[in-house]
Amino acid sequence: MQASPEPVRRKWPFGGEVPPQWQPDSRPVTQPLRSSCVWTLLFFESRPLSKPHPQCPSVSSLSRSHRPVAPVAPTDGRTDGELEPSRALGMWGYLALLPAFLALWAATSIWTVFAIAVANKTVNLTEGIPYISLCGSFPPQSCIFSQLLNMGAAMAAWICILRYHQFRDWGVGKWFNRLILSSGLLCALGTSMVGNFQQKIQLRVHLTGAFLALFVGHVYFWLQLFLSWRMKSLPQPGAPWIGPLRLLLCSLCTVLLVTMVILHTSLQRSAAAVCEWVVAMLLFLLFGLLAVDFSGLEGCTLCLRPGPSLSLQPASPISLQTSPPPLPQLPPVAQAL
């Protein structure tokens, strides 16, 4: 009788054996598996707030670390589910710091460009308050303006993608979730366009980017407020006053944007520029408030699912798995033994 082959036991690169549920399937396959894989990118550590997505049951888009850790009973008087003080202090790190850092980065960027423009006298404050775009239209601050806004746009796009996956794990509908994501990505794209196409060089492209950054950007937060109002079951991290504060900031943005358009068309450019500066700071603050929503997220996981041509799913969420080669047929004498 032919003896069954010993199962292949995988081991972690850092030591220790991979848990049985992540071991490769040693059963014979009828169709070769070419390149089925799931890649995992782990960035941060904190406590999870999201549940695994049904299309990717092995990993969650925002989940805990996959490194197997043996449960250790607390020895300092804590209960089994209570976090250590150091872990509790780390809740507001990494992912939660990303929106706060973006708000600080963006505010520092535009005020730095304003200070340089005033210092080298490319703008004259005696004639009125200049627009943000006018401050970044002349060298050398135009180069700094472009670089800082491009980096801010990249961080904003990454925050919008994280927010999309968070809403998806909370059970938000695909259509409305994609609408929120699209408005956020258009806001990031418009910010990059404002920095790269200066007002004095490409006015139409610059105005298009300003519309996407300011008007579509504030729609991005209105859509999230509407979602939280329609879906009462959505988690509401943070203090109870976070929601009313967001409503107040979004309302101020709407009023100031309408006022800015009216003042600009009536040739009151200095007053319109003041409205633009205030709207920009309010949008930065709204992005920074997303740190409250990200405070309970631990990590970001990228799950790549194989196409329909592949017959089997990978056994391990962190490695490339292929089917083991078929065993060679033994001669009749060896089978008899």
Side-chain angles (χ1 to χ4, degrees):
M1 180 180 298
Q2 183 178 359
S4 59
E6 290 292 333
V8 180
R9 308 299 294 179
R10 303 276 179 165
K11 293 186 177 181
W12 297 101
F14 46 79
E17 191 171 297
V18 177
Q21 63 269 23
W22 290 350
Q23 293 290 345
D25 194 353
S26 60
R27 294 174 297 176
V29 294
T30 58
Q31 186 176 358
L33 184 64
R34 294 180 295 171
S35 61
S36 174
C37 68
V38 174
W39 292 348
T40 301
L41 299 179
L42 297 178
F43 294 93
F44 312 107
E45 291 184 359
S46 182
R47 57 186 169 88
L49 191 62
S50 304
K51 59 184 179 180
H53 190 259
Q55 295 182 357
C56 186
S58 58
V59 290
S60 171
S61 61
L62 296 165
S63 60
R64 298 182 71 93
S65 174
H66 293 123
R67 180 175 296 187
V69 179
V72 179
T75 58
D76 52 358
R78 295 178 289 109
T79 59
D80 191 15
E82 187 178 355
L83 294 174
E84 299 177 9
S86 59
R87 289 280 290 175
L89 292 176
M91 295 304 176
W92 284 85
Y94 303 111
L95 272 181
L97 286 181
L98 182 59
F101 181 75
L102 171 62
L104 180 62
W105 176 275
T108 305
S109 300
I110 61 174
W111 286 110
T112 300
V113 171
F114 173 79
I116 297 175
V118 172
N120 58 23
K121 295 181 172 49
T122 52
V123 295
N124 189 1
L125 295 181
T126 59
E127 299 176 356
I129 304 299
Y131 287 104
I132 301 175
S133 304
L134 185 61
C135 296
S137 296
F138 304 97
Q141 64 266 20
S142 59
C143 305
I144 302 174
F145 188 63
S146 300
Q147 182 65 31
L148 296 180
L149 287 192
N150 284 332
M151 296 180 67
M155 286 188 284
W158 182 232
I159 289 173
C160 294
I161 293 173
L162 290 177
R163 190 63 165 161
Y164 166 80
H165 285 287
Q166 187 180 45
F167 280 148
R168 186 194 67 177
D169 292 346
W170 285 350
V172 178
K174 181 183 296 186
W175 180 86
F176 196 78
N177 196 10
R178 289 181 177 178
L179 178 63
I180 297 176
L181 174 64
S182 300
S183 60
L185 294 180
L186 286 176
C187 173
L189 175 63
T191 303
S192 179
M193 292 171 62
V194 167
N196 294 327
F197 299 92
Q198 282 79 25
Q199 177 180 349
K200 296 294 184 179
I201 300 176
Q202 292 286 340
L203 181 59
R204 293 184 179 180
V205 180
H206 181 87
L207 292 178
T208 302
F211 174 81
L212 295 177
L214 298 178
F215 290 85
V216 180
H218 107 285
V219 170
Y220 173 70
F221 294 101
W222 270 119
L223 291 175
Q224 296 185 50
L225 281 175
F226 178 76
L227 179 65
S228 62
W229 174 72
R230 285 295 302 270
M231 296 183 64
K232 303 297 184 182
S233 60
L234 281 181
Q236 300 293 335
W241 50 266
I242 294 294
L245 177 60
R246 285 174 173 161
L247 178 61
L248 175 63
L249 295 178
C250 289
S251 301
L252 287 176
C253 279
T254 303
V255 173
L256 289 173
L257 284 173
V258 175
T259 306
M260 180 185 69
V261 174
I262 295 175
L263 292 175
H264 182 80
T265 54
S266 60
L267 300 181
Q268 300 183 33
R269 303 298 171 83
S270 180
V274 173
C275 294
E276 183 191 40
W277 282 91
V278 177
V279 168
M281 299 305 297
L282 291 177
L283 289 177
F284 299 158
L285 183 56
L286 284 169
F287 268 107
L289 285 177
L290 290 178
V292 177
D293 301 275
F294 290 175
S295 62
L297 300 181
E298 179 177 54
C300 175
T301 302
L302 175 63
C303 176
L304 304 181
R305 290 181 287 111
S309 60
L310 302 179
S311 58
L312 294 180
Q313 297 290 336
S316 170
I318 60 170
S319 60
L320 176 63
Q321 299 291 341
T322 57
S323 59
L327 295 175
Q329 294 292 334
L330 299 176
V333 177
Q335 293 183 5
L337 294 178

